[in-house]
């Protein structure tokens, strides 16, 4: 490519100057908001780990957009190997490793091999498999999904039949559709697997259970006898990952390889010992889904950061209602972030990201509390935790996928370029709506639970019960005809009113479904659309409740550092209240039909909601760039020409385009020539 092109520096303020101007308008301390999101300990970890990985040549991302699949896979293996070396060198714990994986775009949070052994293995099995896995002495994958079955785990076809004569299980794939499929890390990498298979003993079926099995030779890395393994081929995204397939032909494993913390098969007799609670295995899924929701906050923050910064830099047209401005003899065009439609598209994404920050924290706290309770034999919170985590995973990942695409589109034509930072990011994030539970199927779990809760006698619940599901259902049962009292747009900024609205709507939908199923004998299948609505409403209530709760002072001496920083700074509280109100009211505006249907608000009040949303856009506008700066997403992770912190959008776009390998090929476009191109990197010539 021509190398003597001079990149002219624009005379009018561009890039870094425009972002500096935006940051100068901020009404709060960005560093304090970042501290309020992460806490000092987490920030120290982020900075320390970023400095290590950003300066390691193995993790260089400068060529990533020009790589084919083989190159991407090879690069990923090099990154994985180097990451393991760094984990050992710096003695990173699980949380520190997770931070590094986020920076490197590695799919760490959904790797279920280790969590499954940890959650469902005995102490002896943990010593045999978990410790070597943590030390990277064995490499594992989690094999549940099959070619013919995904969400219907009960329908899995792989079998594990107990053979009492040898005290072994025989693992077998009876049909082609029993092939394990889509298994991350299986295609070329893993040498062990946790597989889900139908347990059979003494002629009886006991449903799917987890088994651990060595699948490749530890020396040659070839598949063991009776096991067929391969890569599933090119995908929509994640092409650096070797998703694989696997078939078993009467493969024997020891009885001790069945993960047996909760259920076992007795030696010799084959007697099945059932778990004390048939939902105990949900604990692992709750943890994984909590991690996925934590990943949602990062995905939303990442998308919003790129789109907001670019929108502040990008100038298009001149607002005809504003006086024209001249700089160096040129008309100054309007920043697209000043157009209300751009604000209406993007500011709610900022609000979603902050909402997910507080819900992910609440989910992790709830999971840790459950682990403490369950260690003492108390599993009472598991059902609610499982239902909420299922619905939140569904709602939050769907919201993230939609918002990433909205942000990409808001970047116009440049959003279509890989250099935008959206293309690979979107492709790789999209599977979150399917793995660890299809988003539509998961809503069944949530709706079934809230239906059961709603059917119980209200007197059965203690008045001191703080379960949010029980709280809003009790409020509805006590006053099903409650209506909204708002008479002005600003009345809708009242957090108590907001929660009553969300709770009333969710409880109404639940009551309607209960009536249809129990009294009108509607089938579950005929109610699936309502089931989806119930789960969505329930989880939107949780998101709103967690955000609002985070803004309320606890007045406790041991208050979390992050919340203390937030509550002690009036400027932070003011801007976060605006963001919270935008999240709540924008959600109400999108779901207006249901809030009207349940009778809580009137059509005239719906106009007040819309008016308040528009006012909130004005409130947030001066702080838009600083609100995404506070997310603290580094350029190394964004890998975006549009979302750079310094605002040098156009220089970076041109620089990255100049590195495109296609520009180095010498073409012969003569239609009469047999030669298509000559390339110094290739031997010989390609011919038509």
């Amino acid at each position: 490519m021509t190398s003597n092109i001079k990149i002219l520096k624009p005379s009018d303020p561009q890039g870094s100057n425009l972002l500096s101007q935006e940051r100068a308008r901020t009404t709060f301390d960005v560093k304090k908001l970042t501290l309020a999101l992460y806490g000092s300990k987490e920030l120290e970890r982020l900075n320390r780990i970023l400095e290590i990985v950003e300066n390691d040549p193995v993790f260089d991302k400068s060529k990533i957009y020009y790589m084919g699949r083989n190159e991407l896979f090879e690069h990923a293996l090099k990154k994985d190997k180097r990451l393991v070396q760094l984990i050992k060198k710096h003695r990173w714990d699980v949380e520190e490793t997770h931070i590094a994986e986020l920076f490197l775009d590695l799919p760490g949070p959904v790797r279920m091999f280790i969590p499954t052994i940890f959650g469902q293995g005995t102490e002896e099995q943990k010593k045999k498999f978990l410790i070597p896995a943590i030390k990277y002495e064995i490499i594992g994958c989690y094999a549940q999904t099959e070619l013919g079955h995904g969400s219907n785990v009960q329908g899995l076809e792989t079998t594990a039949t107990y053979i009492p004569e040898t005290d072994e299980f025989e693992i077998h794939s009876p049909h082609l559709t029993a092939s394990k499929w889509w298994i991350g890390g299986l295609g070329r990498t893993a040498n062990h697997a946790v597989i889900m298979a139908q347990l059979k003993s003494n002629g009886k079926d006991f449903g799917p259970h987890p088994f651990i099995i060595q699948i490749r030779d530890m020396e040659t890395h070839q598949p063991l006898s009776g096991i067929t393994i391969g890569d599933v081929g090119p995908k929509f995204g994640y092409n650096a990952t070797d998703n694989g397939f696997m078939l078993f032909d009467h493969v024997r494993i020891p009885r001790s390889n069945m993960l047996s913390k909760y259920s076992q098969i007795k030696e010799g007799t084959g007697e099945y010992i059932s778990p004390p609670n048939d939902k105990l295995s949900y604990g692992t899924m709750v943890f994984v889904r909590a991690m996925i929701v934590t990943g949602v906050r990062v995905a939303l923050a990442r998308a919003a950061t790129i789109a907001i910064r670019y929108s502040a830099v990008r100038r298009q047209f001149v607002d005809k209602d504003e006086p024209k401005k001249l700089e160096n003899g040129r008309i100054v065009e309007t920043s697209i972030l000043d157009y209300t439609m751009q604000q209406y598209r993007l500011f709610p994404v900022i609000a979603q990201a902050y909402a997910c920050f507080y819900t992910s924290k609440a989910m992790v706290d709830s999971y840790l509390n459950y682990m403490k309770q369950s260690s003492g034999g108390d599993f009472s919170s598991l059902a609610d935790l499982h239902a909420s985590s299922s619905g939140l995973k569904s709602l939050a990942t769907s919201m993230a996928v939609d918002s990433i695409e909205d942000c990409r589109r808001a970047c116009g034509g440049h959003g279509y370029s890989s250099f935008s930072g959206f293309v690979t990011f979107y492709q790789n994030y999209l599977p979150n709506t399917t793995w660890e539970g299809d988003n539509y199927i998961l809503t069944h779990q949530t709706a079934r639970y809230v239906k059961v809760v709603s059917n119980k006698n209200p007197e059965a619940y203690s008045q001191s019960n703080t379960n949010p599901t029980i709280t809003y259902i009790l409020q509805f049962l006590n006053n099903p005809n409650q209506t909204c009292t708002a008479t002005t747009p600003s009345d809708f900024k009242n957090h108590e009113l907001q929660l009553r609205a969300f709770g009333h709507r969710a409880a109404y939908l639940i009551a309607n479904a209960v009536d249809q199923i129990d009294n009108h004998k509607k089938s579950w299948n005929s109610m699936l659309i309502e089931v989806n609505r119930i789960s969505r409403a329930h989880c939107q209530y949780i998101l709103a409740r967690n955000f609002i709760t985070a803004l309320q002072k606890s007045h406790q001496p041991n208050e979390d550092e992050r919340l203390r920083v937030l509550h002690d700074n009036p400027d932070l509280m003011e801007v976060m209240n605006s963001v919270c109100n935008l999240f709540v009211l924008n959600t109400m505006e999108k779901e207006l039909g249901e809030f009207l249907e349940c009778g809580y608000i009137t059509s005239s009040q719906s106009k007040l909601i819309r008016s308040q949303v528009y006012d909130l856009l004005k409130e947030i506008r001066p702080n838009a760039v600083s609100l995404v700066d506070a997310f603290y997403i580094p350029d190394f992770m964004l890998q975006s020409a549009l979302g750079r912190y310094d605002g040098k959008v156009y220089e970076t776009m041109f620089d990255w385009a100049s590195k495109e390998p296609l520009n180095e090929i010498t073409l012969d476009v003569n239609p009469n020539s047999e030669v298509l191109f000559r390339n110094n990197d290739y031997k010989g010539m390609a011919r038509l």
Side-chain angles (χ1 to χ4, degrees):
M1 182 172 180
T2 305
S3 59
N4 61 350
I5 294 178
K6 182 180 181 181
I7 301 177
L8 298 175
K9 299 294 182 182
S11 56
D12 57 332
Q14 287 285 348
S16 56
N17 288 341
L18 289 173
L19 288 184
S20 295
Q21 292 170 17
E22 289 285 343
R23 289 166 180 140
R25 303 170 63 186
T26 307
T27 64
F28 64 92
D29 188 325
V30 177
K31 291 183 179 179
K32 285 184 179 178
L33 182 52
T34 301
L35 182 62
L37 290 175
Y38 297 100
S40 54
K41 182 179 178 181
E42 184 77 355
L43 276 176
E44 184 279 326
R45 284 177 163 181
L46 287 170
N47 289 323
R48 172 167 45 84
I49 294 169
L50 176 62
E51 184 177 2
I52 293 170
V53 298
E54 190 175 24
N55 294 301
D56 194 308
V58 176
F59 302 133
D60 175 40
K61 296 183 179 182
S62 63
K63 299 179 181 178
I64 200 78
Y65 291 137
Y66 315 107
M67 293 181 180
R69 190 177 182 213
N70 288 349
E71 293 172 296
L72 285 170
F73 181 64
E74 183 179 346
H75 181 61
L77 287 180
K78 290 177 181 177
K79 288 196 299 182
D80 280 333
K81 183 175 181 179
R82 180 58 180 154
L83 178 59
V84 171
Q85 293 171 347
L86 291 176
I87 291 169
K88 292 179 178 179
K89 177 181 178 180
H90 299 287
R91 297 183 178 180
W92 287 342
D93 59 21
V94 173
E95 292 180 1
E96 289 169 321
T97 301
H98 175 47
I99 291 170
E101 289 172 334
L102 279 176
F103 286 148
L104 299 173
D105 292 319
L106 295 173
V110 295
R111 292 173 177 169
M112 283 190 61
F113 180 74
I114 287 177
T116 303
I117 301 173
F118 178 81
Q120 300 187 50
T122 64
E123 291 305 312
E124 183 179 344
Q125 288 171 328
K126 289 177 184 177
K127 290 178 183 177
K128 184 176 180 181
F129 299 112
L130 182 62
I131 293 176
I134 292 173
K135 292 181 177 180
Y136 297 95
E137 294 168 358
I138 63 174
I139 302 171
C141 61
Y142 179 79
Q144 176 172 297
T145 301
E146 295 178 353
L147 186 59
H149 285 87
S151 297
N152 182 15
V153 179
Q154 296 300 319
L156 294 177
E157 297 176 68
T158 303
T159 59
T161 306
Y162 180 63
I163 311 298
E165 293 79 7
T166 58
D167 197 29
E168 293 176 307
F169 287 107
E170 185 175 87
I171 311 298
H172 184 59
S173 306
H175 312 289
L176 182 65
T177 48
S179 307
K180 294 299 179 183
W181 204 270
W182 289 117
I183 313 305
L186 171 62
R188 297 301 303 270
T189 309
N191 49 42
H192 282 71
V194 167
I195 67 162
M196 291 295 290
Q198 299 286 357
L199 174 61
K200 298 176 179 292
S201 183
N202 293 331
K204 296 180 180 179
D205 296 339
F206 296 100
H209 284 68
F211 300 82
I212 189 163
I213 179 171
Q214 182 180 336
I215 58 176
R216 284 187 169 99
D217 186 277
M218 298 299 289
E219 296 295 329
T220 66
H221 201 62
Q222 294 301 307
L224 296 181
S225 177
I227 303 177
T228 302
I229 305 176
D231 185 276
V232 299
K235 308 174 289 287
F236 188 89
Y238 265 125
N239 281 303
T241 300
D242 54 328
N243 295 83
F245 63 81
M246 180 163 55
L247 284 157
F248 299 95
D249 184 8
H250 302 284
V251 175
R252 296 289 185 94
I253 61 172
R255 179 179 56 85
S256 58
N257 281 30
M258 173 182 166
L259 295 182
S260 304
K261 182 177 182 178
Y262 300 121
S263 56
Q264 303 94 33
I265 288 291
K266 281 190 174 182
E267 180 180 356
T269 65
E271 179 187 351
Y272 178 67
I273 301 175
S274 59
N277 185 320
D278 60 1
K279 292 181 174 59
L280 286 177
S281 61
Y282 288 177
T284 302
M285 293 305 303
V286 166
F287 168 75
V288 171
R289 287 168 186 159
M291 291 299 98
I292 290 175
V293 174
T294 300
V296 168
R297 71 179 193 182
V298 179
L300 288 167
R302 183 173 175 176
T305 299
I306 295 172
I308 291 291
R309 287 178 181 167
Y310 176 64
S311 296
V313 171
R314 183 73 166 179
R315 292 183 170 191
Q316 291 287 284
F317 307 110
V318 176
D319 189 338
K320 66 179 182 179
D321 297 322
E322 295 291 331
K324 292 182 180 180
K325 297 179 182 178
L326 294 176
E327 288 184 6
N328 299 321
R330 297 173 60 187
I331 295 176
V332 177
E333 294 182 277
T334 302
S335 165
I336 64 174
L337 197 56
D338 284 330
Y339 292 111
T340 53
M341 192 63 216
Q342 191 78 344
Q343 296 169 14
Y344 189 71
R345 296 167 77 184
L346 295 180
F347 290 1
V349 182
I350 299 176
Q352 290 170 1
Y354 278 98
C356 286
F357 261 84
Y358 293 111
T359 284
S360 67
K361 179 183 181 300
M363 282 188 72
V364 172
D365 289 345
S366 296
Y367 175 75
L368 294 176
N369 288 334
Y370 160 71
M371 292 301 290
K372 290 180 182 178
Q373 294 171 353
S374 63
S375 64
D378 180 3
F379 305 105
S380 58
S381 64
L382 180 57
D384 186 84
L385 189 58
H386 175 252
S388 296
S389 66
S390 297
L392 282 168
K393 184 270 179 186
S394 171
L395 172 66
T397 56
S398 293
M399 183 169 66
V401 164
D402 291 343
S403 293
I404 293 169
E405 174 62 7
D406 287 342
C407 286
R408 187 197 66 77
R409 290 186 183 187
C411 292
H414 290 328
Y416 195 68
S417 169
S418 289
F419 303 154
S420 69
F422 279 116
V423 178
T424 303
F425 168 36
Y426 177 77
Q427 290 172 328
N428 289 351
Y429 189 80
L430 195 57
N432 281 275
T433 62
T434 303
W435 62 28
E436 314 314 336
D438 175 85
N439 278 6
Y440 284 96
I441 302 299
L442 281 180
T443 62
H444 298 199
Q445 308 284 347
T446 309
R448 281 196 179 98
Y449 168 73
V450 295
K451 177 181 179 295
V452 169
V453 171
S454 180
N455 275 340
K456 288 186 178 180
N457 190 324
E459 283 72 30
Y461 298 113
S462 165
Q463 293 302 311
S464 62
N465 199 311
T466 57
N467 182 311
T469 306
I470 295 171
T471 301
Y472 76 69
I473 289 177
L474 282 177
Q475 289 175 346
F476 178 83
L477 293 175
N478 291 330
N479 190 1
N481 298 316
Q482 185 180 24
T483 57
C484 179
T485 58
T487 58
T488 67
S490 61
D491 287 343
F492 279 100
K493 296 169 79 172
N494 181 292
H495 291 325
E496 290 184 7
L497 183 152
Q498 293 168 354
L499 284 182
R500 283 198 299 271
F502 275 77
H504 190 90
R505 165 219 181 188
Y508 167 83
L509 292 173
I510 295 166
N512 180 61
V514 169
D515 178 60
Q516 292 295 313
I517 293 172
D518 292 353
N519 299 328
H520 296 276
K521 307 305 177 184
K522 290 285 188 72
S523 68
W524 184 259
N525 181 53
S526 70
M527 294 296 293
L528 289 183
I529 298 172
E530 300 305 315
V531 162
N532 184 266
R533 288 175 176 165
I534 288 170
S535 178
R536 186 178 181 85
H538 172 70
C539 293
Q540 286 174 339
Y541 170 84
I542 293 175
L543 282 169
R545 185 178 185 271
N546 288 334
F547 203 159
I548 290 169
T549 301
L551 298 181
Q552 296 172 342
K553 292 187 177 182
S554 65
H555 303 291
Q556 295 179 358
N558 61 343
E559 184 179 40
D560 184 282
E561 176 201 15
R562 293 166 289 183
L563 295 179
R564 187 173 66 251
V565 171
L566 177 63
H567 297 155
D568 290 348
N569 286 272
D571 291 342
L572 294 188
M573 287 293 291
E574 182 178 356
V575 71
M576 290 310 294
N577 266 297
S578 295
V579 173
C580 179
N581 286 326
L582 180 61
F583 172 75
V584 172
L585 298 182
N586 178 255
T587 302
M588 287 186 70
E589 186 186 14
K590 288 180 177 178
E591 310 289 352
L592 206 49
E594 290 177 4
F595 284 98
L596 288 167
E597 180 189 339
C598 73
Y600 188 77
I601 66 170
T602 64
S603 59
S604 59
Q605 288 173 327
S606 70
K607 296 176 183 178
L608 301 180
I609 293 174
R610 184 171 290 119
S611 176
Q612 186 56 55
V613 167
Y614 296 164
D615 289 343
L616 287 166
L617 298 179
K618 296 176 185 176
E619 286 182 25
I620 291 171
R621 172 63 188 92
N623 292 309
V625 169
S626 293
L627 280 168
V628 298
D629 284 350
F631 290 140
Y632 210 57
I633 309 293
D635 286 351
F636 177 74
M637 184 176 176
L638 292 176
Q639 198 57 21
S640 169
L642 307 187
R644 291 174 60 101
Y645 183 85
D646 63 12
K648 294 182 178 179
V649 171
Y650 304 118
E651 296 94 329
T652 306
M653 285 286 287
F654 195 95
D655 177 54
W656 288 4
S658 69
K659 296 173 182 176
E660 165 58 52
L662 186 63
N663 292 323
E664 301 301 324
I665 295 175
T666 303
L667 292 174
D668 184 346
V669 296
N670 182 349
N672 297 315
S673 173
E674 290 186 358
V675 178
L676 179 61
F677 63 79
R678 295 180 176 85
N679 187 340
N680 293 333
D681 293 335
Y682 298 155
K683 292 182 179 179
M685 297 177 290
R687 295 181 179 274
L688 293 175

